[in-house]
Amino acid sequence: MADPIHRRRTRLAEWWSEVHWYVLAGLAGAAFILGIIGFRQWYADHGVTGTSIWDAIYRSLQLFTLESGSAEAPVPLSLDIARFLAVIAAVYGAAAAVLAVFGERMARLRIRRAKGHAVVCGLGERGLHIAEDLRREGYRVAVVERDPDAPLLDRVRAAGAVVIVGDATDPATLRKARADRARYVIAVCPEDGDNAEITVRVRELAASAPVGPPVTVIAHIDDTELCMLLRERTSGDRDGRVRLRFFSVPESGARAMLDAVPLVPRTADRRLHIVVVGIGKLGRSLVSMAAEHWLASGGTDGLRPRVTMIDQNAAAKADLLRVRVPRIDEVCDIVPLTMPKNAPEFERGAFLYGEDGALDVDAVYVCPDDDVHSVAAALTIQRHTRDADVPIAVRMTREGGLATLLADTPTDAFSDIRAVGVLDRSCGTGSLLRDEPSAG
């Protein structure tokens, strides 16, 4: 966790960045109006004739260029206040304009002298979420992104992060971000190979400058099995300067969904039946984890669980799962059902019922990558399962938006639907930086 004082300062800075232009406009408007009133009164006090309201307006505007502030005494109080407000508005406006043009370059110069900061490599949804979370915690953040036109650059800049455009696998770019002196380097590029390459480059940079604080490199590996292999190979691997950690959003998301809806049959005298909708990387990870859970618990006492897998390419993905988890058929029955999106068969929900026509499902896990599709699929299934209170875990990108809408519904209509925000669960600082020393 970052220093609480630092977090308060960060929140104050964020608030000021939102309101400072409104404050500036208010100061300028007050100076302009008080200037008009003051000059009108000054004309009257000094017996100046032949002037009109337009003369007062013109001289009031000149206050902002510091050309009409000099006036013979006595000076009306309104004009005196207007002169100082105009100077403050003019100076602050000029400074803000300079910072808007050169502020990021100055920030990049500060990063080059920084240490103990965080470097985020890759600016997709994951990188943005991590950078914003780190900024809220009070960390200085440098974001490395190779695409100068990436759509999320404005948002990450607004959060207060410094953007360095370049290839994060290039040692020269990592030097610009001072990755060798960072507290954290978090690699979340789209390609697993790039993230692995970044870990190698940071280790090389740290080895060339062995004096300095330890660097924790946290790399995202989308392939769950590869992530587990790398984690095993590097377990306890600390060379004094660099600590390596690997994480996978599909793996973390699957674990969060199983935590939200545990693998428990509704009655003890029947075998467990779960339905998994969407067999992408997260859905496959979820089924793999369920199988590992059953294996670790010593089997299922003859009542092998049934896993219904629904996907557009369910059969091929079931075969891939059997290759990835060779013993999976020993502990559960895999039933692949090939269904495209919005298929009438899915609407009818026959896969939720047994041969006797009774509802025969204990838990449902909805895992498509699209939030709208996930919610639509969950609501379709819930029409069949609502009366039996079958829990439904729904994969969402974040825990806001549609997830909040479901949770905040005043009735109990959606009480059996548990929305799981995978980015919040896997890419928040509480998850990524666990077991790490706090910022000082």
Side-chain angles (χ1 to χ4, degrees), residues 4-65:
I5 296 177
H6 195 176
R7 288 203 300 270
R8 285 195 294 270
R9 289 175 179 171
T10 300
R11 287 194 291 268
L12 180 61
E14 291 174 350
W15 171 81
W16 181 248
S17 69
E18 292 288 334
V19 305
H20 73 120
W21 290 115
Y22 298 105
V23 174
L24 178 61
L27 287 175
F32 178 63
I33 294 172
L34 289 173
I36 295 173
I37 296 171
F39 277 118
R40 294 283 286 177
Q41 187 175 346
W42 186 86
Y43 291 149
D45 292 345
H46 290 77
V48 179
T49 59
T51 60
S52 67
I53 183 67
W54 297 107
D55 295 296
I57 291 173
Y58 180 74
R59 293 198 67 179
S60 184
L61 288 172
Q62 284 185 315
L63 288 173
F64 297 98
T65 61

Side-chain angles (χ1 to χ4, degrees), residues 131-193:
E132 290 180 334
D133 218 21
L134 286 167
R135 286 297 301 148
R136 280 191 291 268
E137 289 293 323
Y139 289 96
R140 286 181 296 175
V141 178
V143 174
V144 181
E145 168 58 39
R146 62 161 54 102
D147 181 5
D149 300 316
L152 299 176
L153 285 177
D154 288 341
R155 284 187 59 182
V156 80
R157 286 189 177 109
V162 177
V163 174
I164 297 173
V165 176
D167 184 355
T169 64
D170 184 351
T173 303
L174 292 172
R175 287 192 193 98
K176 289 180 182 178
R178 294 313 303 264
D180 58 318
R181 299 185 64 182
R183 179 176 295 239
Y184 303 109
V185 177
I186 304 172
V188 284
C189 297
E191 299 296 329
D192 288 351

Side-chain angles (χ1 to χ4, degrees), residues 360-375:
D360 180 29
V361 62
D362 298 286
V364 180
Y365 302 90
V366 183
C367 307
D369 291 336
D370 176 57
D371 286 2
V372 174
H373 182 210
S374 292
V375 172

